[in-house]
Amino acid sequence: MISKTIAGAGLIVLCVLSPVHGGAQLALDGKPTAEIVVDAEAHPAVAFAAEELQLWIREISGAALPIVHAPGVATQRIRLGVVGSSTVLGRIPNRFPADVAKLQGNDGYAVRTVGA
C-alpha cells in the first residue's frame, strides 16, 4: 500500500492511500476510483480545497471524485483536514511530526511515500 501525505499552509494535510504500485489511480475511463474525504464541519479553506481538487481532477480525467465525510467504497482516498482538529486525518499527522512542526504558520508542503 502506498501512502502519500502532503501538508500545506502549516495546517492542511492531504493523504492519498493506494494499493496501486508506483502511484495512485484516481480515475479510470472517466470514472472515479478515489474519493475526497473531509470532515462534515470542515474548515472553509479545507472545503474550498476539496472543491478545487475535485474540479481539476474532473478537468484532467473527466471523472468527478465524490466529496464524502467518511470513507466509502472507493479504493483510494484523499483526506483533507486541519491538523489537530480533523477527525478524517486520524493518526496521519503523528506519522510525520517533523513535517507538521516545520510547516506550522507558513505556506508549504511535504510529500512522503510509504510502502512503495
Side-chain angles (χ1 to χ4, degrees), residues 26-114:
L26 304 178
L28 181 63
D29 296 327
K31 295 185 173 114
T33 58
E35 60 196 7
I36 302 166
V37 185
V38 299
D39 291 299
E41 304 273 332
H43 185 280
V46 174
F48 179 73
E51 291 170 3
E52 284 290 295
L53 181 62
Q54 181 187 53
L55 169 73
W56 291 109
I57 291 173
R58 182 176 55 238
E59 287 292 316
I60 292 166
S61 70
L65 274 59
I67 298 173
V68 299
H69 303 301
V73 298
T75 57
Q76 267 93 185
R77 293 178 186 89
I78 302 171
R79 297 172 190 252
L80 294 172
V82 176
V83 174
S85 66
S86 175
T87 60
V88 301
L89 295 178
R91 295 180 161 187
I92 294 167
N94 296 338
R95 294 186 70 184
F96 304 101
D99 293 327
V100 172
K102 187 175 182 178
L103 292 169
Q104 288 298 322
N106 67 63
D107 291 334
Y109 62 91
V111 178
R112 300 292 176 259
T113 303
V114 176

Side-chain angles (χ1 to χ4, degrees), residues 16-34:
V16 178
L17 300 176
S18 172
V20 178
H21 183 68
Q25 180 182 16
L26 304 178
L28 181 63
D29 296 327
K31 295 185 173 114
T33 58

